[in-house]
Amino acid sequence: MLFGALEAGGTKMVMAVGEENGKILEQKTIPTTTPEETMPQIVEYFKEKIEEKGIVALGVGAFGPVDVVKGSPTYGHILNTPKLAWKKYNLVGTLEKELGIPVGLDTDVNGSCLGEMTYGCAKGLDTVVYITIGTGIGAGIAVGGRLLHGMLHPEAGHILIAKNSHDPGKSVCPYHDSCFEGLASGPSIEARWGKKAVELVDKTIVWELESEYVAKGLVNMILTLSPQKIILGGGVMHQEQLFPMIRSKVMAMLNDYYTTRELCDMDSYIVPASLQDNQGIMGAVRLAQLAYEKME
Ligand code: ADP
Ligand code: ZN
């Protein structure tokens, strides 16, 4: 059985056809502009895949905030996004109406978390945090085997963390003076040091500060959610030297407050994404599968 998958991002839309085992058979990327321009291209792609390949459902991992609460009057709508053309846009409703197949939805980061739990390094675990550190910071969270929604969905990229008093920069988040995304996203690195993160590879101070902020964010999530594993993805985390720095700072910040089997094996506790940057689109395949099973 084949499934459609859509990773709906603020800058690009990744569309794919995948198998139940997560294998991506084909994919196409288009830029995200306005709904009027972008949506017909998405609809056309998946209509063709329904006819040619017989895909039976579509899974969507969407940028947010997005209403993922089943039964809510605005379920499936993009909410208060800075991408104004998409504000209040009925993403799921449009896709369901145009395609006539079940559509499963979650946030892009919950989708990535699900991808890693189904096909990747978090297989068999039930409480997992997936964090992307890229243009923004976002966290996908599963607790007890279920992706966390609650009143809407977590926005843990904006948890407040203490600013280092020697930090020469300032928060790039328009909402918060001292939040995770404001202090540790790719754009915040660029604003602080005047160069793109990738051009700062040999500057130790850059990665010392970055790993301190990431560790602060992680410690808050460890203490709140007690995850069995934390997966770090996104462009900035391609700087692999960050991993050992983050691990040792997390240990130092926890300060032996508690000890678990997982915390004793930090190299397998805080890990890079394991699916070659396909965790999002593979998670969307799984969302499609879940939507299909629910319909049966
Ligand atoms: P997005 O978050 O938009 O989906 P990315 O995850 O690629 O996309 O994040 C883009 C951000 O990550 C940019 O701020 C960029 O400077 C930074 N980035 C991308 N690649 C690298 C890299 N190899 N090393 C460090 N930073 C990177
Ligand atoms: Zn913020």
Side-chain angles (χ1 to χ4, degrees):
M1 206 170 275
L2 294 181
F3 298 93
L6 170 66
E7 210 182 346
T11 53
K12 62 181 199 265
M13 296 281 179
V14 182
M15 307 173 287
V17 176
E19 292 178 349
E20 249 165 86
N21 61 10
K23 186 170 172 210
I24 301 298
L25 301 180
E26 54 180 287
Q27 80 176 49
K28 184 179 176 185
T29 301
I30 58 167
T32 305
T33 58
T34 59
E36 292 71 29
E37 196 173 34
T38 307
M39 288 306 290
Q41 298 176 60
I42 294 174
V43 168
E44 188 190 7
Y45 177 87
F46 287 113
K47 267 192 176 156
E48 201 181 290
K49 301 307 162 195
I50 293 171
E51 279 163 28
E52 281 176 11
K53 309 267 171 178
I55 60 168
V56 293
L58 173 66
V60 182
F63 71 95
V66 53
D67 191 344
V68 291
V69 179
K70 286 268 168 64
S72 152
T74 53
Y75 172 76
H77 289 55
I78 304 288
L79 300 175
N80 191 24
T81 170
K83 292 208 64 112
L84 293 178
W86 293 86
K87 197 168 168 173
K88 302 196 174 158
Y89 185 73
N90 186 356
L91 181 63
V92 170
T94 305
L95 291 168
E96 274 175 346
K97 182 165 144 271
E98 295 284 340
L99 301 175
I101 56 175
V103 177
L105 170 74
D106 219 307
T107 63
D108 45 6
V109 274
N110 265 354
S112 293
C113 190
L114 180 66
E116 291 286 355
M117 291 174 80
T118 314
Y119 310 113
C121 67
K123 249 189 249 179
L125 303 179
D126 63 36
T127 300
V128 177
V129 172
Y130 173 91
I131 302 174
T132 181
I133 304 184
T135 307
I137 296 185
I141 299 171
V143 176
R146 294 176 73 95
L147 295 168
L148 189 56
H149 292 156
M151 63 174 182
L152 186 64
H153 52 72
E155 278 288 358
H158 293 270
I159 54 173
L160 304 185
I161 56 175
K163 193 162 181 272
N164 181 308
S165 57
H166 301 292
D167 183 348
K170 61 182 180 46
S171 169
V172 296
C173 174
Y175 298 92
H176 313 115
D177 289 341
S178 195
C179 77
F180 195 4
E181 177 171 304
L183 296 173
S185 60
S188 84
I189 298 175
E190 192 174 336
R192 179 183 294 116
W193 305 108
K195 278 186 184 170
K196 284 200 175 304
V198 75
E199 295 161 24
L200 295 160
V201 175
D202 53 356
K203 297 272 183 289
T204 314
I205 187 171
V206 171
W207 308 107
E208 277 297 330
L209 192 59
E210 180 67 11
S211 59
E212 176 186 321
Y213 287 142
V214 177
K216 281 178 176 165
L218 264 52
V219 164
N220 286 328
M221 292 189 215
I222 292 168
L223 296 172
T224 308
L225 296 161
S226 183
Q228 296 149 331
K229 195 182 276 291
I230 299 181
I231 302 157
L232 300 175
V236 173
M237 291 314 303
H238 287 145
Q239 295 299 322
E240 287 180 7
Q241 74 275 19
L242 279 170
F243 281 90
M245 300 168 89
I246 292 166
R247 290 180 189 122
S248 66
K249 287 186 169 68
V250 164
M251 285 309 272
M253 287 175 196
L254 286 173
N255 198 21
D256 288 333
Y257 176 70
Y258 71 165
T259 313
T260 63
R261 185 169 49 81
E262 288 83 354
L263 291 174
C264 290
D265 184 8
M266 268 286 160
D267 289 358
S268 15
Y269 186 61
I270 296 172
V271 296
S274 71
L275 297 168
Q276 288 76 44
D277 282 338
N278 279 328
Q279 56 276 13
I281 200 73
M282 290 170 77
V285 171
R286 179 69 182 149
L287 286 172
Q289 231 173 299
L290 294 171
Y292 181 73
E293 283 165 14
K294 209 161 278 169
M295 183 204 67
E296 270 186 326

